Amino acid sequence: MANNVVSMENGKSEKKNREASVENFLVKNRVPLLVVIAVLFVAALAACIILGVTDMQRKKGISAVDSIEYTLTANAADASDADMAARREAALAALQPYLGKSDIVGVRASMLAADIYYAGKDYASSLDAWLKAAGAGAKSYTAPVCYFNAASCCEELGNNADAAKYYALAAAADDFYLAPHALFSEGRVHESDKDYKAAAEAYQKLIDTYSSDAWADVAQSRIIELKLDHKID
């Protein structure tokens, strides 16, 4: 018990000494400490300003892309082919300052450019734009949409190998609403290339993963047909 009392008293003494040391340190170094605090405050303020400016620029960029899209599509049903061609050309020119951005503005701009190229049957340029948008928004919900459309471009270009690859990437994304369609399209492309084993694997994956989806029924019918034709075991 006596030893405990001594230890407690020693602890109180040590605590007082530490507090005194800290107080002396603060008094002796109050100017440097004030400088450090001021520097930290300025750095935090600068960070807030940068974030605010970045957010403002992002909103401005999105608004600009939306405006370009509106000008392109307004009353499109009543526009002549020549008028729409001129609109597409003007829209692509207006999008140029935003296509190089790596944020949501760049994603939106590239997706709109890809749509414009596709409508003009420039499938190679459309493919490049879809892949650029997918890369810029790799973690976004837009990525699988971009891969799906990139696959469609590849089919138009006769590149079934890349089409199957991009359909598979689209189908692998979480919560992609067209995943069953993407899996079926992957199988269909493999089947077109006479790679029946790969086609059956894609169809079976569709059936196993989305058994209640209508595309699963179509996939099942394709597997039955392939077996009847002795193209798979």
Side-chain angles (χ1 to χ4, degrees):
M1 183 67 176
N3 287 337
N4 288 337
V5 171
V6 171
S7 296
M8 290 172 64
E9 290 178 349
N10 288 341
K12 291 178 180 178
S13 177
E14 290 175 4
K15 182 179 179 181
K16 289 181 179 179
N17 290 336
R18 285 197 301 271
E19 290 175 349
S21 297
V22 171
E23 185 177 353
N24 289 334
F25 175 81
L26 292 174
V27 171
K28 292 179 180 178
N29 297 277
R30 59 184 179 275
V31 174
L33 284 173
L34 288 172
V35 172
V36 171
I37 292 171
V39 169
L40 291 174
F41 175 78
V42 171
L45 182 60
C48 290
I49 292 173
I50 291 171
L51 289 174
V53 170
T54 301
D55 185 59
M56 183 174 64
Q57 290 177 338
R58 185 182 297 115
K59 289 179 180 178
K60 185 177 179 181
I62 291 173
S63 178
V65 173
D66 286 343
S67 178
I68 294 168
E69 183 175 14
Y70 177 79
T71 302
L72 171 67
T73 59
N75 301 317
D78 300 325
S80 66
D81 290 343
D83 183 29
M84 287 308 302
R87 288 193 195 188
R88 287 194 290 268
E89 185 177 349
L92 288 172
L95 285 170
Q96 291 306 310
Y98 308 102
L99 293 175
K101 296 183 179 297
S102 58
D103 57 6
I104 184 61
V105 177
V107 173
R108 291 279 300 278
S110 292
M111 291 179 72
L112 179 55
D115 267 335
I116 294 170
Y117 284 128
Y118 197 94
K121 301 186 186 305
D122 185 352
Y123 301 117
S125 296
S126 183
L127 172 61
D128 289 342
W130 284 123
L131 294 179
K132 187 174 183 179
K139 296 181 180 180
S140 170
Y141 72 94
T142 59
V145 176
C146 295
Y147 284 129
F148 188 96
N149 290 332
S152 179
C153 291
C154 288
E155 286 198 77
E156 294 289 350
L157 293 167
N159 186 349
N160 284 348
D162 279 350
K165 178 178 70 174
Y166 294 131
Y167 279 132
L169 282 173
D174 293 335
D175 300 323
F176 179 43
Y177 67 101
L178 289 178
H181 190 181
L183 277 172
F184 182 83
S185 297
E186 179 191 354
R188 174 179 54 74
V189 170
H190 283 310
E191 195 174 343
S192 296
D193 275 349
K194 297 182 172 27
D195 189 348
Y196 303 119
K197 182 175 182 294
E201 289 174 351
Y203 292 146
Q204 190 60 53
K205 185 175 182 180
L206 167 55
I207 294 166
D208 293 341
T209 310
Y210 304 99
S211 59
S212 62
D213 193 274
W215 285 107
D217 296 334
V218 184
Q220 185 66 66
S221 69
R222 290 310 308 148
I223 289 178
I224 293 171
E225 187 73 23
L226 290 171
K227 287 182 177 179
L228 289 174
D229 291 341
H230 306 290
K231 292 176 178 177
I232 58 172
D233 297 329

